[in-house]
Amino acid sequence: MRSKDATAMKLWSIPGNSQQLDGGAMFGNAPRAMWAKWMAPDEANRIPLACRALLASPLAGKTVLFETGIGAFFEPKLRDRYGVVEDRHVLLDSLRAAGFEHEDIDVIVLSHLHFDHAGGLLAPWAEGRAPELLFPNATFLVGAEQWQRARHPHPRDRASYIPELPQLLEDSGRLEIVEGERSATLGDTVRFHYSDGHTPGLMLAEIVGPERVDGQAHGGVVFCADLVPGKPWVHVPITMGYDRNPELLIDEKRAFLEDKVARNVHLFFTHDPEIALAQPVRDERGRFGTAHEAAQLQARALG
């Protein structure tokens, strides 16, 4: 078990199970000739995608995991349908490699409850076994609007949710529904931003940076979830076919990136297969891009 050093928070990128999904769906209305330069598709038009989590410890004196990836809860037929590559629970192996067990996690922050972001909460699939929640000591943080969406999904995105998960979270007695910029569990150490373009109440968690400029926090890290799944989506017009409101998402993303550039908040990507962390930048023509890209984080200081 990892002991908590209260003097210096460190960050780890924690790989979960990977996926192979249709490139056209992932890049919305962008033509294949464009997106294939960013991520080369296979013969079935699928591109590789990560399901990467972010671990911070100690944060507010706790070991905090931002998301859990897709996990290994699917039965074999559905695992194949949704392009899940590995049959084991990769996130648990990755936590162990970083020196943690799932029992060590004190808080799990969930941007939303789609299965590729929350499926890792569950134990691996086994014949005849009902879904079982892992992380027995964690408090689970979910945004209020997304919580309602998960409990009462729209027909358009019902298949994106795990039907049993909301009740499991509620029955744990360790669920915190978050409203506003701060949570009771993490206080001022994490600031929450919200987006509705991908799904109602997508909660984007910013680990607040150590610097203050004109009263604003600078130098933090934000978990971009599905607002900006990876480097190609930093380009503002690029959206996914899975987004419920692409035009709204584009407006939200522009405002989000403008703010992060102004405050030097780095972007953490969950789905980019090669890049975990990058600094957002803007060129003289106003186009957003990235710099100082890192493939992985291993006990990295926030600063």
Side-chain angles (χ1 to χ4, degrees):
M1 180 180 292
R2 172 81 62 157
S3 62
K4 299 183 180 71
D5 174 5
T7 62
M9 184 188 71
K10 299 293 191 297
L11 301 173
W12 289 259
S13 56
I14 306 293
N17 291 66
S18 55
Q19 284 187 278
Q20 294 176 318
L21 290 181
D22 183 83
M26 287 301 297
F27 287 105
N29 64 348
R32 188 180 192 276
M34 177 184 291
W35 61 254
K37 297 176 182 178
W38 301 329
M39 291 187 178
D42 65 12
E43 66 282 354
N45 209 49
R46 300 174 304 179
I47 59 172
L49 295 168
C51 288
R52 182 185 294 109
L54 173 64
L55 182 73
S57 184
L59 178 60
K62 302 173 176 66
T63 296
V64 182
L65 186 66
F66 295 84
E67 298 206 345
T68 61
I70 197 167
F73 76 96
F74 275 134
E75 62 176 287
K77 182 173 70 174
L78 291 178
R79 188 174 70 231
D80 182 65
R81 176 185 300 174
Y82 291 110
V84 183
V85 176
E86 308 88 356
D87 59 2
R88 71 188 192 282
H89 200 321
V90 175
L91 183 83
L92 301 184
D93 296 340
S94 299
L95 282 171
R96 193 167 295 119
F100 299 85
E101 299 293 336
H102 74 98
E103 296 92 345
D104 298 330
I105 305 302
D106 300 310
V107 183
I108 296 179
V109 178
L110 297 155
S111 69
H112 61 308
L113 293 177
H114 288 176
F115 61 69
D116 57 326
H117 295 259
L121 292 171
L122 300 175
W125 176 85
E127 184 73 49
R129 185 170 69 186
E132 176 186 337
L133 200 60
L134 298 173
F135 304 96
N137 301 309
T139 296
F140 305 102
L141 271 55
V142 182
E145 190 173 4
Q146 176 59 199
W147 176 249
Q148 291 305 316
R149 181 71 165 203
R151 290 176 62 86
H152 308 288
H154 188 274
R156 185 180 187 276
D157 63 358
R158 182 174 291 118
S160 297
Y161 291 100
I162 303 168
E164 302 87 352
L165 185 57
Q167 194 63 52
L168 288 171
L169 291 172
E170 202 161 32
D171 290 347
S172 75
R174 293 175 278 115
L175 174 66
E176 181 185 347
I177 303 300
V178 180
E179 298 188 67
E181 291 189 352
R182 291 169 178 80
S183 67
T185 300
L186 296 175
D188 293 332
T189 63
V190 174
R191 175 188 176 190
F192 296 108
H193 311 262
Y194 294 91
S195 164
D196 295 316
H198 177 67
T199 184
L202 181 74
M203 190 167 73
L204 306 154
E206 176 187 339
I207 300 175
V208 175
E211 305 168 23
R212 290 292 185 278
V213 180
D214 296 329
Q216 292 288 315
H218 282 237
V221 171
V222 64
F223 194 100
C224 295
D226 280 341
L227 179 64
V228 190
K231 178 178 177 176
W233 294 270
V234 171
H235 186 45
V236 169
I238 301 300
T239 62
M240 296 187 290
Y242 303 110
D243 298 327
R244 67 187 291 263
N245 189 333
E247 291 186 5
L248 174 61
L249 186 139
I250 286 170
D251 293 340
E252 292 174 334
K253 180 167 42 168
R254 181 183 290 109
F256 178 84
L257 291 172
E258 286 174 348
D259 173 65
K260 304 307 173 286
V261 169
R263 296 190 296 111
N264 191 31
V265 176
H266 282 53
L267 311 177
F268 188 90
F269 300 133
T270 185
H271 287 314
D272 196 298
E274 297 180 354
I275 302 170
L277 187 76
Q279 179 187 23
V281 295
R282 200 172 193 182
D283 66 18
E284 64 281 356
R285 296 174 59 185
R287 296 176 303 188
F288 292 101
T290 58
H292 303 114
E293 297 163 356
Q296 62 180 347
L297 308 179
Q298 187 170 3
R300 173 169 167 161
L302 179 60

